[in-house]
Amino acid sequence: MSSSSLSVGIIGARGYVGAELLRLIDRHRLFRLVFASSRSLDGQGVSRVIPGIHSDIRFEHLAPQVVAERKADVLVLALPNGLAAGYVSALPAEQVVIDLSADYRFDDTWYYGLPELTRAHASGKTRISNPGCYATAMQLALAPVVDRLETFPVCFGISGYSGAGTAPSDKNDPKNLADNIIPYKSVAHIHEREVSRQLGRPVRFLPNVAAFFRGIAMTVDMTLTDALTAQEALDHYQRFYEDEALISVQMEAPHVNRVVNRPGAMVGGFCVEPERRRLVVHSTLDNLLKGAATQALQNINLACGLEELEGIDIG
Ligand SMILES: NC(=O)c1ccc[n+]([C@@H]2O[C@H](COP(=O)([O-])OP(=O)(O)OC[C@H]3O[C@@H](n4cnc5c(N)ncnc54)[C@H](OP(=O)(O)O)[C@@H]3O)[C@@H](O)[C@H]2O)c1
């Protein structure tokens, strides 16, 4: 199979994440969009609905068996939680499937694709679970010091309301969000379990949603086994991510408006209380890009044997 023939189909393609993936795949020089599934937009031209798309395909409402018959090289599932299994079970094991939902993030038979931290295990994997957006922000802030944590870190996150998807809810209702910040699920959020599982250490996670559309601001407060200065923390994080084109590390606290519509994440704002071995780190990313679609494209590229950053404009 020549790489120029790689075909990609997207299920859940009209949602916030699906639309970002449509754009990334549409302009990728080695991929070809072959279908985009949506129930509500069935029959409508994708390029007429999603700005910036050149493909002439139309949205279709595709049942799992029909998706299997289309035999796309790569299938992307950008559906709400709980819906992936019907598609996954209809597909042969060799077909590459990327699931954006949480459905397989706790399944050891799937590869958990946060490439900067897990790419060593990516080779040959065809079932790929894409991490959550908050979970990516937390893990990027924690990974460099995970072996030095004395106790559970506390992660306070604020998401833009696109994180709540397009189905109307309190968390994406502009009236409810105006001049507001809304805490929710302050214990046992699924991303708390996801990060604890991935890092092998318990974390606590306090999510909030605010009135901005896209982006995540994450503050991680931790106690370490040994004290370090803010400069030592910066040096350590910079070394940890020195080969990562999508992760930038800086002394200043990163701001959401610096990452919106950008493919990467920023980590920084190192504050310390050496006498208490306390370190506070901030991370930020665009929940629809590094928190979802860009990360999915990294995973698709790896699964197809391409350069991980092919088709990602790192600017
Ligand atoms: N938003 C984020 O920041 C973010 C970040 C990381 C991961 N994720 C995950 O990515 C997935 C998609 O999120 P999203 O924010 O893009 O959601 P969304 O905007 O609500 O889009 C959901 C998509 O799924 C389709 N859909 C909904 N219910 C369906 C059903 N019962 N059967 C078939 N299709 C259905 C919708 O299209 P039709 O209704 O037209 O069929 C739409 O295309 C979720 O699992 C989410 O947790 C989201």
Side-chain angles (χ1 to χ4, degrees):
M1 181 172 57
S2 86
S3 54
S4 61
S5 71
L6 290 169
S7 55
V8 179
I10 302 177
I11 310 293
R14 70 116 185 110
Y16 286 140
V17 172
E20 293 294 343
L21 269 159
L22 281 172
R23 289 190 196 94
L24 286 170
I25 300 298
D26 184 55
R27 65 170 185 246
H28 195 291
R29 71 188 177 93
L30 301 171
F31 293 141
R32 192 165 34 93
L33 265 178
V34 287
F35 57 81
S37 179
S38 161
R39 300 162 307 164
S40 57
L41 300 181
D42 189 14
Q44 297 193 41
V46 171
S47 61
R48 295 186 69 118
V49 181
I50 312 284
I53 300 282
H54 297 98
S55 167
D56 57 4
I57 64 170
R58 292 178 177 275
F59 285 108
E60 301 171 89
H61 179 194
L62 299 173
Q65 204 45 50
V66 179
V67 170
E69 286 160 11
R70 298 281 181 98
K71 294 184 171 31
D73 293 309
V74 178
L75 180 71
V76 181
L77 300 171
L79 294 166
N81 290 339
L83 298 172
Y87 294 91
V88 172
S89 60
L91 300 173
E94 62 274 16
Q95 186 166 353
V96 173
V97 181
I98 314 277
D99 181 32
L100 274 293
S101 80
D103 291 4
Y104 294 98
R105 291 186 198 145
F106 300 87
D107 183 333
D108 284 334
T109 66
W110 283 56
Y111 161 64
Y112 182 82
L114 203 170
E116 288 78 4
L117 305 180
T118 67
R119 70 168 73 84
H121 310 289
S123 178
K125 299 293 181 351
T126 57
R127 294 292 188 261
I128 299 155
S129 181
N130 220 63
C133 45
Y134 277 128
T136 298
M138 282 189 265
Q139 287 175 78
L140 292 174
L142 280 163
V145 288
V146 72
D147 295 333
R148 297 163 77 167
L149 291 172
E150 181 165 279
T151 178
F152 54 80
V154 177
C155 307
F156 179 86
I158 307 175
S159 175
Y161 64 90
S162 61
T166 53
S169 76
D170 284 357
K171 297 205 284 293
N172 58 18
D173 174 359
K175 281 199 191 123
N176 197 33
L177 285 163
D179 302 320
N180 205 358
I181 172 166
I182 305 169
Y184 64 100
K185 197 80 176 138
S186 300
V187 295
H189 192 287
I190 193 165
H191 288 139
E192 182 175 280
R193 286 196 288 124
E194 181 182 339
V195 174
S196 299
R197 183 175 195 272
Q198 289 302 321
L199 295 181
R201 302 288 308 236
V203 304
R204 292 193 177 166
F205 172 44
L206 304 166
N208 300 265
V209 60
F212 54 95
F213 181 62
R214 55 201 288 166
I216 282 181
M218 182 64 64
T219 297
V220 180
D221 186 351
M222 46 200 150
T223 303
L224 304 179
T225 51
D226 54 328
L228 36 65
T229 66
Q231 184 62 48
E232 286 167 343
L234 172 70
D235 293 344
H236 177 66
Y237 274 70
Q238 282 180 330
R239 273 195 305 278
F240 190 90
Y241 288 120
E242 66 188 349
D243 296 326
E244 302 298 345
L246 292 181
I247 315 298
S248 64
V249 179
Q250 58 185 42
M251 184 55 95
E252 306 74 38
H255 291 180
V256 165
N257 63 8
R258 297 275 310 280
V259 293
V260 165
N261 292 314
R262 305 291 307 147
M266 299 172 84
V267 182
F270 300 96
C271 299
V272 298
E273 273 187 300
E275 64 284 2
R276 294 172 61 191
R277 290 174 277 113
R278 182 176 176 204
L279 170 67
V280 176
V281 179
H282 305 269
S283 60
T284 185
L285 49 78
D286 186 322
N287 54 302
L288 301 180
L289 294 177
K290 184 58 183 162
T294 305
Q295 189 133 272
L297 183 53
Q298 289 175 269
N299 285 320
I300 296 169
N301 283 331
L302 286 172
C304 294
L306 305 177
E307 283 292 318
E308 183 183 310
L309 300 180
E310 184 72 52
I312 296 171
D313 180 9
I314 56 175

